[in-house]
Amino acid sequence: MSTRFLVLLPAPEAEWAKLPPEEHEKGQRAHARFNKELAEGGHKVLFAGPLQPSAQALSMRPDGHGGTTVTDGPFTESVEQIVGFYLIESDDRDGVIACCEQLSSTGDLIELREMQGD
C-alpha cells in the first residue's frame, strides 16, 4: 500500500531574495534533479509548488470565546519559513528519504513528514 509523504521546504526568505540569479538557477537545477530521481525511483509527485512569501499568509487562532482571530503574516517570527512543498506517493519510504537526502545535500533544508493513513 502506498504512503503519502509531505516534503516541506523551509528557507530563510530574506536571504533567498538577496541571492544572485546564478544561485536561484542552481536551486532550480537541484529541484529538476530531485523530480527526475523521484520519477526514476517510482515515486509519484502528486503536487508540488512554491508558496507566496510568508508575509502574505493569514494566521488564524481561536479567540477563546468561540470565534477566531485572523492576523496577517505567519504564526511565528522565525528565520526560516516554509517556501514550498512536494506531496509524494510511494511504497518505498527509504527511496523517498534517499531522494530527499540528495536534494538536501545541494543546500535545501527539508522536513519530511509521513501523512497519517486514512
Side-chain angles (χ1 to χ4, degrees):
M1 181 164 131
S2 291
T3 302
R4 289 185 178 178
F5 299 89
L6 184 61
V7 177
L8 298 171
L9 303 171
E13 288 177 334
E15 289 178 29
W16 177 252
K18 295 176 187 176
L19 291 175
E22 310 80 64
E23 288 299 312
H24 289 272
E25 291 167 10
K26 180 180 166 185
Q28 290 173 347
R29 285 192 305 273
H31 281 270
R33 179 178 176 184
F34 180 61
N35 279 282
K36 182 177 185 242
E37 289 177 354
L38 287 168
E40 288 173 350
H43 315 294
K44 182 178 180 184
V45 175
L46 300 175
F47 197 83
L51 299 172
Q52 291 290 327
S54 63
Q56 295 177 3
L58 289 178
S59 296
M60 299 170 207
R61 312 173 187 274
D63 67 6
H65 304 286
T68 301
T69 300
V70 179
T71 55
D72 291 333
F75 278 117
T76 59
E77 295 295 322
S78 66
V79 175
E80 297 161 354
Q81 298 77 33
I82 302 298
V83 298
F85 70 97
Y86 289 85
L87 180 58
I88 299 167
E89 187 172 70
S90 178
D91 58 1
D92 179 9
R93 182 177 189 271
D94 292 339
V96 171
I97 292 170
C99 290
C100 290
E101 287 175 344
Q102 172 56 38
L103 179 59
S104 180
S105 74
T106 67
D108 278 90
L109 299 175
I110 292 176
E111 181 178 333
L112 179 63
R113 306 276 299 271
E114 191 170 320
M115 299 193 66
Q116 292 202 14
D118 296 320

